[in-house]
Structures are given as structure tokens and as C-alpha cells.
Amino acid sequence: GDGGAGGGALGSSLSKRQLSRVRDLRKKQATLAPGAADEGLTPAEEAATTKEREEELDRLRLERERAKREVVGSLLREAITTEYHVYPCMGQQLFFEFNVANPYADEAHFRVKVDDPFGELRVIADGDEWEYCRRVLPRACGDVGTREVEHDMISGEGELTMGPREGVTLPFAFLSMAAGAVDAGSARPGVA
């Protein structure tokens, strides 16, 4: 057989590496087994060895927790991120709405944060401006919501309170003064 790991020389070398790792691990476990390597040690040496093992286990636990947080955070960001592409003309303001919902069974406070280093994308907090944008501006993407405009729903700091499982429509405006192709990773062309 080829070790059952994909076939050919690759499967065979993978199987050999795995077997070698298992043998090394068993040797290490036999060496670290309680009483196996500690025979002949003074109580002080035994305490130091135990302390080193505990410190190493603590380091491994901390590293594992850090890695778990990174993976969970990455998965959550990916699951809750919605990406829109807008293609404005220079100086043309675009408008779109985005529906969000409170996932909690209790009333909750949320802050809408827009990470736009150029300040071109913003949440519309003023109800009158929201109504105007709905009536006059072209829709950049998505659908214009059917819910009524809620005056004073969003504070000037981008905060809003939502009831349990409540859904709301958030209005956004996009205005760019950049000319030509735009690369978010570099300085904007056509902007002084």
C-alpha cells in the first residue's frame, strides 16, 4: 500500500512523516510521564521541572486562545460584511440604503462606523436629507427601502437604539471628488 494518503510517492512520504512524528511523540510522552524521568531528581529539581511544564502548558493555552479569537473574529467579520461597489462620476453624490436588524432578544444600542479614510462615504443622520436623497438622487446599489424615513433615528455620532429583533434601514451617501480610476490603497488622483 501507499499509506492511504493520496497515492504515489507523495502519499508514502506523508505516511512516513506521520509515523515518524507519532514515534517521536510517544518517546517524548514516555520521557515526560510522571515518575519516568523524575526518578533520581531532588525535590527542588522535580519542582522546577514541574513548574517548567506548567509554564509551557500555560503558554500553549494562551496561544491556542489567541488563535481561536483570531479565527472566530475573522469568521464573524466575513459573515457580517456586505460589500457594495459604486461607480460614481466625479462630484456626483450617490445614495443607497442598507437594511440591518438587531439580532438580540433585548433592546440594544448600536454605533454605525464607516471606515472611509477619504470621508466620501457617510451615514445620513438627518431625516430631511434622507427624504431628499430618496426622492432625487440616483440609487448607487441595492434597493431603496419601503420603510418610512425615521427622523432622529440616528444620532449625529452614528448611534441608534433598536428594539428586540427590530429591523431598520440605514441611509448612506457617497460623494467623491476624485477623477479617473480610484485605488483605495493610494492617494486619490485629482484631489489636492
Side-chain angles (χ1 to χ4, degrees):
D2 62 348
L10 178 62
S12 178
S13 68
L14 180 63
S15 180
K16 287 178 185 176
R17 273 200 323 265
Q18 289 173 341
L19 287 172
S20 174
R21 288 182 183 162
V22 168
R23 277 190 226 109
D24 291 345
L25 180 62
R26 287 186 179 149
K27 285 179 189 175
K28 191 173 189 177
Q29 286 174 338
T31 303
L32 297 176
D38 296 343
E39 294 175 9
L41 295 178
T42 66
E45 291 172 329
E46 193 173 314
T49 302
T50 302
K51 184 178 180 184
E52 287 174 13
R53 287 182 193 153
E54 289 173 0
E55 288 173 352
E56 181 63 23
L57 286 173
D58 286 341
R59 281 193 293 273
L60 289 172
R61 278 188 208 104
L62 289 173
E63 179 61 25
R64 176 182 261 171
E65 288 302 315
R66 184 194 60 77
K68 279 184 192 177
R69 280 192 303 272
E70 287 179 4
V71 168
V72 169
S74 173
L75 290 173
L76 284 174
R77 275 188 299 280
E78 190 175 299
I80 65 172
T81 299
T82 300
E83 189 173 298
Y84 283 131
H85 296 271
V86 295
Y87 303 97
C89 294
M90 180 179 144
Q92 176 188 23
Q93 181 165 319
L94 298 178
F95 169 73
F96 67 94
E97 294 180 335
F98 184 69
N99 294 320
V100 295
N102 175 1
Y104 305 112
D106 298 316
E107 181 177 279
H109 302 282
F110 296 92
R111 174 172 284 169
V112 180
K113 182 179 175 190
V114 177
D115 289 329
D116 179 7
F118 305 107
E120 297 171 333
L121 178 65
R122 65 184 177 82
V123 177
I124 300 172
D126 180 61
D128 293 332
E129 181 183 2
W130 185 2
E131 286 177 339
Y132 171 81
C133 290
R134 245 190 196 181
R135 274 191 334 269
V136 176
L137 294 179
R139 184 183 74 239
C141 54
D143 294 322
V144 173
T146 56
R147 294 182 177 126
E148 290 187 29
V149 169
E150 296 182 45
H151 292 268
D152 301 322
M153 176 181 75
I154 304 169
S155 75
E157 293 80 38
E159 295 177 350
L160 68 145
T161 302
M162 295 171 62
R165 310 265 187 241
E166 178 185 17
V168 297
T169 300
L170 297 177
F172 291 88
F174 182 86
L175 174 63
S176 177
M177 298 308 285
V182 176
D183 177 10
S186 64
R188 287 293 171 73
V191 177

